[in-house]
Amino acid sequence: MGKRGRKNSYETVILPKKEKIRELISQGYSEKDVAAKIGVSYATWKKYKKQISAFSSLILTEREKNIKELEKRKEEALERTATASENLHV
């Protein structure tokens, strides 16, 4: 016999919007902002992040990707600055 009662907001709101959550996190939105944008309270967001390891992992993975992308952009900008500076002194 299956589970009775109404589904929780993880099943009805968060799971169907996993891709949107990934997108927003990768754009640098805070978890609080992402929760608001998908229609759950931040308290609910934190509860599911604590209780559901797959959800916590999703958030962490997207944050790590975001950090790596920012580091890459920073390095590229530093290289462009160094090249431009070298060209000025030639």
Side-chain angles (χ1 to χ4, degrees):
M1 193 176 257
K3 185 175 159 183
R4 291 183 156 189
R6 74 180 193 141
K7 293 183 177 183
N8 61 36
S9 54
Y10 182 77
E11 295 170 333
T12 60
V13 179
I14 293 175
L15 276 179
K17 296 182 180 178
K18 273 184 5 181
E19 291 307 313
K20 183 69 174 172
I21 292 168
R22 281 188 175 110
E23 177 186 327
L24 292 169
I25 290 173
S26 72
Q27 292 174 1
Y29 283 92
S30 70
E31 291 182 31
K32 193 172 192 176
D33 289 339
V34 174
K37 286 184 177 290
I38 65 165
V40 297
S41 73
Y42 187 52
T44 299
W45 174 278
K46 291 189 299 186
K47 176 178 88 172
Y48 291 133
K49 183 179 166 186
K50 185 177 181 179
Q51 290 177 349
I52 302 170
S53 62
F55 182 51
S56 180
S57 294
L58 173 121
I59 295 166
L60 183 59
T61 299
E62 290 307 313
R63 285 279 179 233
E64 287 172 346
K65 286 180 190 175
N66 196 23
I67 290 168
K68 286 178 184 177
E69 180 62 29
L70 290 172
E71 288 172 347
K72 179 181 172 187
R73 288 182 189 174
K74 180 181 174 183
E75 190 166 313
E76 290 170 351
L78 288 172
E79 287 175 9
R80 283 193 304 273
T81 302
T83 301
S85 178
E86 288 172 7
N87 290 339
L88 289 174
H89 297 302
V90 173

